[in-house]
Amino acid sequence: MSRLYRPPPTNQRPRDTLDQVLHLPVDSALKELKKCRNQFKVILATFQDEHHILERLYYKGKNQHNSALFWKRVAETRRYCSRLYELDLGKLIDDVQLSFFDANTANKKKALKGAWTYYPDPKFVAYMRNRLELVYNLASKTHARLTQAYRSLSLAMQSGAFIQYIVLLVAIVSRMDILTVELLAGVQQASFTLRQLYDILEKLAPLPSPEIVPQGLDIINSAPLDPSALDCLVLGMITPETNAFRTPNSLPSVTHKFSLHRDQGIPTQAGEVVDIIKRKRTRTKTKKKDEIDDIFSF
């Protein structure tokens, strides 16, 4: 992880240039960042106190326990905790919050209590989010090193040598491990909030899918036209001036005579003879069960 902290320029824009629909999500994200900032302030203050005690114990026993096996874990823990504290996580969140206010404001703490008037460039928010992800990775490694140091110190306690000194180291390592776990949860929440801010500023919110309105006629399911209605439709479109078609009075009347046969239900024209074959339905008589069938349930 790079020690250089060089965020890109904010390139602030007025609040009025942002869509008014996105103002409420930005307000919610800034409130969530404020909660994370207050949480980091408490955690890092306690972490600093524990780190100072660890530094004093380290320099006190460096010459005496330099060759011990557990001392390598203590030195590694000290190095990771120092690196994590040097990141100044609170300043990173402050820079994100101040990017939504006027940069020329003298009293910035007072400005944070009011409404935001500007918004930064999405590249600035993306850089801060990547920085938070690096902090999360470093905090995860610090948590792993603290766990290994606790196990090593617990094994060293079994010998009984320098028991008071090792007990102090175990207490400090355990306390710093708890603070690191709480810090991991806060960094994860802050990273998620910055992700939301980036999506808002990039206007990547998913648009509502347009409703598909069915168009056209359902010809397959439509009922067939009546022949007489079709004749009227065609004749109604012909003007009397055209001689190519006959008028409705000159058209012969077409009548269809149908008779419905009672036995088969088939429509037939009048005058036709339909041979009907009547089939007799024979019923199969069931045999009576004898006593053996009753016994074996046949």
Side-chain angles (χ1 to χ4, degrees), residues 256-274:
H256 301 278
K257 296 181 180 180
F258 295 96
S259 62
L260 185 63
H261 202 279
R262 185 177 62 182
D263 294 336
Q264 291 187 349
I266 302 173
T268 58
Q269 293 184 1
E272 293 184 359
V273 179
V274 179

Side-chain angles (χ1 to χ4, degrees), residues 26-45:
V26 172
D27 292 337
S28 301
L30 291 178
K31 289 180 181 179
E32 193 65 32
L33 282 178
K34 187 176 181 180
K35 293 180 182 178
C36 295
R37 176 65 180 89
N38 296 333
Q39 183 181 3
F40 293 155
K41 184 178 180 180
V42 177
I43 294 174
L44 292 176

Side-chain angles (χ1 to χ4, degrees), residues 144-191:
R145 297 300 184 274
L146 288 169
T147 304
Q148 294 175 0
Y150 175 79
R151 293 174 181 174
S152 180
L153 291 170
S154 299
L155 292 175
M157 288 175 60
Q158 297 177 3
S159 63
F162 308 103
I163 187 66
Q164 296 179 353
Y165 184 76
I166 295 177
V167 167
L168 286 176
L169 290 175
V170 168
I172 293 173
V173 167
S174 302
R175 180 66 175 169
M176 296 183 76
D177 188 27
I178 294 173
L179 294 174
T180 305
V181 172
E182 294 180 359
L183 190 66
L184 279 171
V187 171
Q188 189 175 9
Q189 180 62 34
S191 178

Side-chain angles (χ1 to χ4, degrees), residues 84-105:
L84 185 61
Y85 181 74
E86 289 174 0
L87 291 176
D88 199 358
L89 189 57
K91 184 178 183 302
L92 192 147
I93 301 299
D94 287 341
D95 291 344
V96 176
Q97 289 180 317
L98 291 174
S99 63
F100 286 85
F101 299 89
D102 189 5
N104 299 324
T105 304

